[in-house]
Amino acid sequence: MSAPRHPRTRRTALIAALCAAAALGATACGPFSDDAKASGPFGDLTGPQISNKAIAATKKADSLTLDLALKTTDGPMKAYLSMDTRGKCAGTLTVGTTGTAELIKADDKDVYLRFDEAFLKEQAKGESAEVQKAVLKELKGRWVKTPVTDPDAKDSLELCDLKALLGDFEQGINFAVKGGETTVGGKKALMVTEKSGGETTTVYVATEGEPHILKIVSAGGEEPGTITFSGYGKPVGAKVPATKDVLDESKTG
């Protein structure tokens, strides 16, 4: 019996949201009526200047937690992943409308995935009742071990590459306007918003401590959604599962 296919993430949707946010940090070429007031936590800094500070601070992060919910052209995608620049990653992935996979990457060799019952049933759909029962018996509650070099594993790990994710924060030339103050996860934040065509991107920037990006919300575009960032600088709890709970994919047949 072969192991189930790994969930295929679409990092392109995440990149689009990050690039939209990064564009807010560029030197602008037009007026900013809402930025003229020297008030609030960032004083007289303009929207692009605030976003630029946030991008610079965020790019220095050596670890963080990503909480993502996007509507992509291929369907909904959710992820809750803690990751660091040393390659550790742990959390959950939900791609499509059925089933969730837990993920652990503790080193550069292997990735471990544990699929919930809904995911396993979806993978076994169309098989005989005997095969479906065998899949659940063999895999339910167990971790599937796969080399990180496996093509399917690479798909699952697309959102785990913190260095690449932070590298996606590149600058462009756009308009951005400061908004009001609010809180994100109990942290004070300032909203900076850009509108382009029918799409609105709002970036929430921490106003206390490092000006990290706390949240990005995209609305009205082809792939709307929310990305929340937290746990800056915190250790990633990615530990290899106990051997008794692991099924080595290279040894299944």
Side-chain angles (χ1 to χ4, degrees), residues 94-138:
T94 303
V95 181
T97 58
T98 306
T100 296
E102 297 174 75
L103 179 152
I104 295 176
K105 180 176 177 287
D107 53 39
D108 294 328
K109 297 180 180 179
D110 302 297
V111 58
Y112 299 82
L113 288 108
R114 183 164 62 183
F115 309 94
D116 68 5
E117 187 170 340
F119 190 103
L120 293 173
K121 286 183 176 180
E122 179 67 21
Q123 291 287 296
K125 185 184 293 186
E127 301 288 348
S128 68
E130 183 180 1
V131 169
Q132 293 185 38
K133 184 177 180 180
V135 168
L136 288 175
K137 182 180 179 180
E138 183 77 9

Side-chain angles (χ1 to χ4, degrees), residues 30-110:
F32 297 88
S33 58
D34 290 350
D35 293 338
K37 304 171 184 177
S39 61
F42 290 102
D44 60 356
L45 293 184
T46 66
Q49 288 172 331
I50 294 169
S51 295
N52 207 34
K53 286 176 66 71
I55 291 167
T58 301
K59 285 174 73 73
K60 294 178 182 178
D62 58 8
S63 66
L64 56 76
T65 295
L66 175 78
D67 189 352
L68 174 152
L70 297 176
K71 292 181 180 179
T72 77
T73 54
D74 294 332
M77 180 172 70
K78 294 182 179 180
Y80 185 85
L81 297 167
S82 296
M83 65 195 81
D84 63 27
T85 53
R86 292 172 292 282
K88 288 187 176 182
C89 186
T92 61
L93 292 169
T94 303
V95 181
T97 58
T98 306
T100 296
E102 297 174 75
L103 179 152
I104 295 176
K105 180 176 177 287
D107 53 39
D108 294 328
K109 297 180 180 179
D110 302 297

